[in-house]
């Protein structure tokens, strides 16, 4: 099981911190301000690897620390699943995605899992990936929750407002698009939880990191509930709560706006 001893947990934390420093995009170390839903202003120092990112002309704001409480941040862990190096394994119950490396470890990313993601049971293959993808609600979304998705029936172009976030990995089954996606999200509070819509979501900072590691094709394995409980234990499996669907405006994310710096 993951993190069986304090020494092991300490190793994982140190390894994750060291590799975050080595691999993460360089971000400012300034103190940032955020406005809470109640209208109060709070200051914070960004967590390493989760500061402001300028990417393709868009500025992603730093992720506030309250969303990054352990284990809700990417780190290197011992890998105890059955996927081979270079593959991805998703644990929809513990809300983790693993990118498996060849030294017995894996990058572990916290995820949110929508109802569509929970129905993803079989192995799929990443055959396409896209930066700053656009998004359009499915007919089922429009039919079952028109109040949430109706205003977006015409689609949302790629950018900070897109519910697919900064990157998307497209999962195929038998050579055909499965319509499942691994993608970024603006809904920071969803990470570590389940939602009634969406597939497999990561912090935008994490999907950018994962995107650069993943090649095409990459096999994606789904961990069963029995495997999840055996490997990570009852401390993490299951993890999180089910949240109602919502579309998060970029303007509500601590001042983020759909600004292209070179325009």
């Amino acid at each position: 099981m993951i993190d069986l001893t304090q020494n092991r947990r300490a190793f994982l934390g140190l390894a994750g911190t060291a590799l975050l420093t080595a691999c993460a995009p360089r971000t400012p170390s300034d103190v940032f301000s955020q406005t809470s839903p109640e209208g109060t202003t709070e200051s914070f120092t960004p967590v390493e690897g989760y500061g402001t990112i300028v990417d393709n002309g868009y500025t992603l704001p730093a992720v506030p620390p309250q969303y990054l409480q352990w284990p809700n941040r990417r780190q290197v862990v011992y890998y105890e699943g059955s996927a081979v190096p270079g593959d991805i394994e998703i644990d929809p119950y513990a809300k983790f995605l693993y990118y498996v490396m060849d030294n017995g470890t894996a990058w572990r990313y916290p995820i949110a899992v929508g109802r569509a993601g929970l129905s993803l049971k079989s192995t799929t293959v990443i055959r396409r990936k896209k930066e700053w993808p656009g998004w359009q609600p499915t007919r089922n979304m429009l039919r079952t929750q028109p109040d949430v998705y109706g205003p977006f029936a015409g689609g949302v172009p790629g950018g900070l407002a897109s519910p697919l976030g900064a990157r998307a990995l497209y999962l195929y089954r038998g050579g055909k698009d499965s319509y499942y996606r691994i993608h970024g999200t603006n809904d920071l509070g969803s990470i570590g939880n389940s939602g009634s819509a969406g597939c497999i979501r990561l912090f935008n900072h994490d999907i950018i990191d994962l995107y650069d590691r993943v090649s095409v094709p990459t096999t994606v394995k789904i961990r069963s509930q029995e495997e999840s409980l055996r490997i990570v234990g009852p401390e993490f499996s299951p993890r999180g709560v089910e949240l109602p669907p919502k579309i998060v405006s970029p303007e509500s994310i601590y001042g983020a706006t759909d600004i292209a710096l070179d325009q």
Side-chain angles (χ1 to χ4, degrees), residues 177-194:
D177 190 351
S178 70
Y179 296 100
Y180 292 106
R181 312 283 185 252
I182 299 170
H183 61 88
T185 183
N186 289 335
D187 189 0
L188 306 181
S190 71
I191 301 299
N193 296 295
S194 297

Side-chain angles (χ1 to χ4, degrees), residues 21-257:
T21 303
C23 300
R26 295 299 177 185
T27 57
S29 58
D30 299 337
V31 174
F32 287 79
S33 296
Q34 66 179 25
T35 302
S36 71
E38 293 76 26
T40 60
T41 300
E42 303 169 345
S43 297
F44 67 93
T45 300
V47 172
E48 184 69 39
Y50 291 93
T52 299
I53 294 177
V54 178
D55 180 83
N56 287 349
Y58 297 103
T59 299
L60 283 168
V63 179
Q66 66 262 33
Y67 298 108
L68 298 168
Q69 298 302 306
W70 191 89
N72 248 24
R73 62 177 69 176
R74 70 180 179 269
Q75 61 179 335
V76 173
V77 299
Y78 290 115
Y79 179 68
E80 301 180 68
S82 58
V84 302
D87 285 358
I88 286 173
E89 183 174 35
I90 293 171
D91 186 332
Y93 307 96
K95 311 301 187 300
F96 294 128
L97 180 151
Y98 299 86
Y99 177 77
V100 183
M101 296 187 285
D102 60 5
N103 58 356
T105 64
W107 277 101
R108 187 180 75 185
Y109 301 84
I111 61 175
V113 182
R115 181 175 296 161
L118 286 173
S119 65
L120 180 61
K121 303 293 185 184
S122 61
T123 297
T124 56
V125 177
I126 296 170
R127 296 201 179 277
R128 185 163 68 97
K129 58 182 192 176
K130 186 174 179 60
E131 300 184 9
W132 294 101
W135 170 83
Q136 189 167 17
T138 65
R139 283 181 292 181
N140 185 59
M141 288 178 174
L142 293 169
R143 178 179 58 82
T144 57
Q145 294 170 315
D147 54 330
V148 176
Y149 300 110
F152 306 96
V156 179
L160 289 177
S162 173
L164 290 187
R167 304 285 191 275
L169 307 173
Y170 296 78
L171 306 183
Y172 283 67
R173 185 185 293 117
K176 295 182 179 180
D177 190 351
S178 70
Y179 296 100
Y180 292 106
R181 312 283 185 252
I182 299 170
H183 61 88
T185 183
N186 289 335
D187 189 0
L188 306 181
S190 71
I191 301 299
N193 296 295
S194 297
S196 60
C199 293
I200 306 300
R201 290 170 278 166
L202 290 77
F203 290 121
N204 279 318
H205 292 62
D206 283 346
I207 193 63
I208 289 174
D209 182 271
L210 175 64
Y211 184 96
D212 290 339
R213 300 179 191 279
V214 168
S215 59
V216 175
T218 291
T219 298
V220 178
K221 179 184 182 295
I222 305 300
R223 185 174 288 180
S224 70
Q225 189 170 11
E226 292 75 19
E227 289 173 322
S228 177
L229 188 60
R230 173 175 56 82
I231 294 172
V232 305
E235 180 183 4
F236 292 132
S237 185
R239 183 168 79 98
V241 299
E242 182 164 337
L243 301 172
K246 63 179 177 179
I247 302 294
V248 179
S249 165
E251 286 78 12
S252 70
I253 307 174
Y254 319 110
T257 55

